[in-house]
Amino acid sequence: MKTTKLILNSAVLIALVVPAAFAQQSGSSSTGSSTTQPTVQHRKKNQQDRIANGIQSGQLTAGETKKLETKEASVNKEEAGMRASNNGKLTSADRTKLQNQQNRLSKQIYTDKHNAATQHNGNGLVGQRKENQQDRIANGVRSGQLTAGETAKLESKQQGVNRTEAGMRQANGGKLTAADKTAVNKQQNKASKQIYAKKHNAAKQ
């Protein structure tokens, strides 16, 4: 009788302790995996998403985006060279170097998104058109339809449109004449075609 009772108590104790120990082990292993450093590809995707969000929110100006994406394109080019010289793979030293470059770029993204400079689209049809172009570019960055190099070129053109508009307003007391609006719209038509072409070509991020 005592032996049976002892066996039953031991069985109950095992039933309680084993699942708890297993759960603790599972939890510790998942904690360890959460500290795993992101891969080079995940890091690149994260940076592009942050830039896309900055474009769409207006935290990043066309000029700031152009500079950031030019740097991103340079990192991508360097990575491609590393892979080409090592049968498509990255060495540990390559990954460390790319990670350091992305760390610097990450800080620059943060700085540009939190400084005083913001994208001013303005009101009216001209402002709506500028905002629409930026949204299309942001969507292309986020989806990977636009490479970093393509984005840099598109934002360089948007920066040019912004400068043209600013010059027109300065020459006319802050306003745009009917002729000014027509000229800016023509520039945006050209930029719009280029956005479409680059989003629908074979190049992907």
Side-chain angles (χ1 to χ4, degrees):
M1 188 72 172
K2 287 184 179 179
T3 304
T4 305
K5 190 174 181 180
L6 182 62
I7 293 173
L8 286 174
N9 287 340
S10 298
V12 170
L13 187 62
I14 291 170
L16 290 172
V17 171
V18 170
F22 179 78
Q24 188 176 15
Q25 186 179 10
S26 300
S28 60
S29 64
S30 66
T31 303
S33 65
S34 68
T35 59
T36 303
Q37 211 160 31
T39 65
V40 171
Q41 300 307 318
H42 286 156
R43 190 75 188 276
K44 284 163 64 177
K45 177 68 169 66
N46 177 259
Q47 305 281 58
Q48 290 300 93
D49 285 346
R50 290 171 62 202
I51 290 172
N53 291 338
I55 295 170
Q56 203 146 29
S57 68
Q59 287 177 292
L60 291 176
T61 66
E64 287 173 335
T65 303
K66 178 186 74 173
K67 291 177 182 177
L68 290 172
E69 290 289 39
T70 298
K71 290 179 182 178
E72 187 72 60
S74 178
V75 174
N76 293 345
K77 187 175 181 180
E78 187 166 4
E79 181 194 345
M82 290 172 172
R83 290 185 184 277
S85 64
N86 195 38
N87 297 319
K89 297 180 180 179
L90 294 174
T91 66
S92 178
D94 291 338
R95 290 193 184 91
T96 298
K97 186 175 181 180
L98 291 172
Q99 195 73 245
N100 289 338
Q101 288 179 322
Q102 288 286 19
N103 286 342
R104 288 193 290 271
L105 184 57
S106 178
K107 290 178 183 177
Q108 190 61 52
I109 294 171
Y110 181 88
T111 299
D112 287 347
K113 286 179 72 174
H114 293 85
N115 62 15
T118 54
Q119 179 75 16
H120 296 291
N121 295 317
N123 300 318
L125 294 176
V126 170
Q128 289 173 11
R129 189 79 188 274
K130 286 165 65 179
E131 185 175 355
N132 177 259
Q133 305 282 55
Q134 290 299 91
D135 286 346
R136 290 171 61 201
I137 292 172
N139 291 335
V141 172
R142 192 177 290 112
S143 67
Q145 287 177 290
L146 291 175
T147 66
E150 288 174 333
T151 304
K153 290 177 182 177
L154 291 173
E155 288 289 29
S156 180
K157 294 189 182 300
Q158 289 299 319
Q159 186 182 26
V161 174
N162 293 345
R163 285 174 176 168
T164 298
E165 182 194 346
M168 290 173 171
R169 289 186 182 278
Q170 190 174 9
N172 194 41
K175 297 179 180 179
L176 293 176
T177 66
D180 291 340
K181 291 175 183 175
T182 299
V184 171
N185 197 49
K186 284 182 178 179
Q187 285 184 309
Q188 288 287 26
N189 285 342
K190 291 178 183 177
S192 178
K193 289 177 181 178
Q194 289 175 335
I195 293 170
Y196 181 88
K198 291 187 183 300
K199 284 178 72 174
H200 293 84
N201 63 14
K204 303 295 177 189
Q205 176 70 16

